[in-house]
Amino acid sequence: MNNRLSARPTHRALLGTALGHALEWYDWGIYAIFVPFFSTRFFAPHDEVSAVLSSLAVFAVGFAARPIGGLVVGRLADRVGRKPMMLATVAGMAAGSLIIGLCPTYATLGAGASAILVLARVLQGLATGGELPSAQTYLAEYAPRRRRGLWSSVIYIASVGGNTIGVLLGLLLSALLSESDMASFGWRIPFIVGGVLGAGTLWIRRSLAETAAFTDEREERPRLWQEVLRHRRQAVQVVGMSVGLTVVYYAWVIAAPAYAIDAMHVNADSAMLAGVLSSLLLIGLLPAWGALSDRVGRRPVLLISTLGTAVSLFPLQAMINGSAWRLGVAMAIAMVFIGAGVSILPAAYAEMFPTHIRTVGLAVPYSIAVAAFGGTAPYLQTWMGETAGRAAFTGYVVLLLLVSAMTVLTLPETRGMSLTTTGNDSDDTEGIEREAA
């Protein structure tokens, strides 16, 4: 088989998966970044504080919708296929972004504008609840088994990249537009861009092939809840693995610069630059950790991540001390340990469940963990910092990381395992050859 031809489907699968997940985190980031500019456009403008709080409450609504989306989309992905649901989730995210970007304001529609914003965020929440489990299941099943850890790193490369693009776009628009222009029309630009990116991702994903693991077992579809109960141990393990890494990912990869600006009075431009540079470092580290897990196993790498991060957080927090360059160094060190875990979570999750419930088995507990712990992290970080000091939230994160580490110890080693019950998935190119054919 021509190597160039066989490589094209591989690149398409990686690109299609990555772009959809990048879009999820891009949408997540731009909503949080641009809230100060569009909040009074959707809620009563005479009370600016109330408008911002209302917009943040709508942000939380998106998190609340995720478990429902995970259940519905995950179940359909296990019944009709990974590819159709990957198309549906991208369409939902893109539509929600376009609706927000093009929606009339409160001055035009009154409370109707608020309702449209809520509905758009619910749509995005339902879509994102199904996007990660569908996409990472697809990628894990498509990947050669001996390189599954390396391939799974694409998921978080995409998430960091999507969030970073949103931050850079925010900085660019803030530099080019006045504050009045940002409040008037500038805030619409990133949401419209998100819709366009979603359309491009749909065009790429439409040509993807279904995974061999799903098509080989299409007829084997036992009853859902019977199978969920049979695999309740794995569902609990998903929650345990996710709680620590989800919160530390939010606290150090996403929110550290903003928190340093607000609570530690670090220069805003320098803090944002530290965040972008550390994110680029994380992107470079992810495939290296994924490849290492393919050699030494998932459990050792996950333990390095959870325990290494837990041990280092208090010294790293103390290192920052109001300095932008220290913030950058602390974030860079944190990325080394955080990257080890998040790079291979998609592979580890996929290896925990059989094909017929692989997506929904992950989607429901994962969405619950993200909603309960990731969704509350911004509030808890601010509240604990104000009432008990920064060390209280750091201690909370360390505790959750130890829960994740203990959960990892209960897992069997799954490196290189087959993802089909027949055990006939190839070590190298079966997925590539199937799609090229």
Side-chain angles (χ1 to χ4, degrees):
M1 180 172 52
N2 185 286
N3 288 335
R4 180 177 295 178
L5 290 176
S6 67
R8 288 175 185 170
T10 305
H11 296 157
R12 195 182 306 129
L14 291 169
L15 181 62
T17 305
L19 286 177
H21 199 56
L23 181 63
E24 174 186 347
W25 281 87
Y26 171 86
D27 285 342
W28 191 96
I30 60 173
Y31 189 97
I33 292 169
F34 288 92
V35 157
F37 298 106
F38 70 75
S39 58
T40 56
R41 299 292 169 175
F42 288 100
F43 298 94
H46 60 270
D47 188 343
E48 186 173 339
V49 174
S50 177
V52 171
L53 290 175
S54 297
S55 298
L56 290 175
V58 173
F59 181 69
V61 166
F63 270 102
R66 288 179 68 115
I68 300 172
L71 175 61
V72 175
V73 175
R75 179 55 172 162
L76 289 173
D78 287 332
R79 291 188 66 86
V80 304
R82 311 335 185 180
K83 176 186 171 181
M85 292 303 101
M86 289 171 65
L87 292 172
T89 56
V90 167
M93 289 187 290
S97 189
L98 274 178
I99 289 170
I100 295 173
L102 300 176
C103 181
T105 63
Y106 187 91
T108 303
L109 282 184
S114 308
I116 291 174
L117 177 65
V118 171
L119 290 175
R121 286 300 297 169
V122 168
L123 176 61
Q124 287 186 317
L126 293 172
T128 56
E131 165 60 23
L132 177 62
S134 298
Q136 67 182 22
T137 296
Y138 179 88
L139 191 63
E141 290 180 347
Y142 192 90
R145 70 166 78 174
R146 293 181 181 175
R147 288 183 287 169
R148 194 178 296 135
L150 174 61
W151 278 47
S152 79
S153 67
V154 169
I155 293 291
Y156 278 91
I157 289 174
S159 73
V160 177
N163 183 75
T164 301
I165 290 171
V167 171
L168 291 175
L169 181 57
L171 290 173
L172 178 63
L173 290 175
S174 295
L176 295 178
L177 301 177
S178 66
E179 187 170 339
S180 61
D181 286 339
M182 285 289 290
S184 175
F185 67 88
W187 63 268
R188 295 184 183 272
I189 295 174
F191 292 102
I192 294 173
V193 169
V196 173
L197 291 175
T201 304
L202 270 176
W203 185 83
I204 293 173
R205 283 190 172 184
R206 69 180 174 81
S207 61
L208 299 181
E210 191 53 79
T211 67
F214 178 82
T215 55
D216 287 349
E217 300 185 24
R218 183 182 293 274
E219 301 304 320
E220 184 184 340
R221 297 288 181 265
R223 297 178 63 180
L224 171 63
W225 296 114
Q226 177 182 341
E227 287 299 292
V228 168
L229 288 175
R230 282 185 57 197
H231 295 86
R232 57 188 179 276
R233 174 183 172 88
Q234 288 90 331
V236 173
Q237 288 172 327
V238 167
V239 174
M241 288 171 61
S242 302
V243 291
L245 290 170
T246 293
V247 175
V248 80
Y249 184 86
Y250 167 81
W252 281 88
V253 179
I254 304 299
Y259 186 77
I261 293 168
D262 293 336
M264 307 177 74
H265 310 295
V266 175
N267 176 267
D269 292 340
S270 299
M272 295 300 290
L273 178 61
V276 170
L277 292 177
S278 63
S279 293
L280 294 176
L281 172 64
L282 178 59
I283 289 174
L285 289 169
L286 289 171
W289 281 117
L292 181 64
S293 79
D294 288 328
R295 296 180 62 87
V296 304
R298 313 290 187 231
R299 283 181 40 165
V301 174
L302 287 169
L303 288 173
I304 289 172
S305 177
T306 51
L307 295 177
T309 309
V311 169
S312 63
L313 280 190
F314 276 108
L316 293 179
Q317 186 69 60
M319 178 188 297
I320 299 173
N321 197 28
S323 166
W325 74 265
R326 289 187 177 186
L327 170 67
V329 173
M331 290 185 69
I333 295 172
M335 297 306 163
V336 174
F337 293 110
I338 294 171
V342 299
S343 67
I344 62 170
L345 278 178
Y349 288 143
E351 290 163 351
M352 294 170 66
F353 295 95
T355 302
H356 55 272
I357 62 161
R358 182 165 292 134
T359 310
V360 73
L362 162 64
V364 176
Y366 179 81
S367 296
I368 290 172
V370 170
F373 293 92
T376 58
Y379 176 83
L380 289 177
Q381 186 175 32
T382 301
W383 178 74
M384 288 184 176
E386 291 294 326
T387 59
R390 295 192 302 271
F393 183 76
T394 301
Y396 169 70
V397 178
V398 169
L399 179 62
L400 293 179
L401 285 166
L402 293 178
V403 170
S404 293
M406 289 186 289
T407 303
V408 170
L409 291 174
T410 69
L411 299 175
E413 180 53 61
T414 54
R415 170 178 60 98
M417 69 173 288
S418 170
L419 293 186
T420 64
T421 56
T422 56
N424 62 357
D425 49 334
S426 167
D427 286 346
D428 302 306
T429 60
E430 181 200 10
I432 297 172
E433 292 174 0
R434 181 180 294 269
E435 185 170 356

